[in-house]
Amino acid sequence: MISLKKITLENRRAMFNMEVSEEQRHYVASNLSSVASCYVLLTNGGHPFPFVIYADEQPVGFVMLAYGITGYEEPSIAGRAQYCWIPYKSDNVVAKRLYESFGFRDNGEVFNNESITVLRL
């Protein structure tokens, strides 16, 4: 079973030591860098939510959800979210296939030089 868990003193080292495949390294920041970004977002009015991704009880990844920084995300915060959007580098075919496998579809928008893929909730 896949689950998201808060970063704790107990799981932080395992999360910081995770690495993506060589072909994906130029697409994503390290987990340590991403957690540092959470601090920057938080101290500048953002609302980051970092989690460790678990498969059963094994930590297998990291994800950070955030809102309130650019204004782009704010309409979904007013009430119950209707969409989830993820920016990704358009040449990252692995990420595109992964997102599509969960039902995400590109909407033709580009944000910060990244394609936007959207899932209607």
Side-chain angles (χ1 to χ4, degrees):
M1 171 185 249
I2 302 295
S3 62
L4 301 179
K5 296 183 181 182
K6 291 181 182 179
I7 298 172
T8 66
L9 291 174
E10 290 77 25
N11 67 15
R12 67 189 162 96
R13 289 193 192 281
M15 187 265 310
F16 288 145
N17 289 328
M18 289 180 205
E19 294 185 13
V20 297
S21 67
E22 184 66 37
E23 69 178 24
Q24 292 292 306
R25 285 196 182 144
H26 67 280
Y27 293 117
V28 296
S30 70
N31 291 347
L32 182 60
S33 176
S34 295
V35 171
S37 293
C38 288
Y39 175 79
V40 173
L41 291 171
L42 185 63
T43 59
N44 287 280
H47 303 279
F49 297 94
F51 296 97
V52 179
I53 303 169
Y54 279 78
D56 297 317
E57 293 302 312
Q58 180 70 31
V60 296
F62 169 83
V63 64
M64 178 179 65
L65 310 173
Y67 70 91
I69 305 305
T70 65
Y72 188 91
E73 305 91 333
E74 291 176 8
S76 66
I77 303 305
R80 183 169 175 246
Q82 295 180 7
Y83 298 92
C84 176
W85 66 273
I86 300 174
Y88 71 97
K89 299 286 185 192
S90 60
D91 62 338
N92 189 345
V93 178
V94 173
K96 180 180 172 85
R97 286 186 191 141
L98 174 68
Y99 301 144
E100 286 176 346
S101 76
F102 287 102
F104 284 83
R105 298 293 176 257
D106 283 0
N107 68 357
E109 292 182 50
V110 176
F111 181 71
N112 285 343
N113 296 318
E114 295 182 321
S115 297
I116 304 297
T117 189
V118 179
L119 176 68
R120 184 172 176 87
L121 303 174

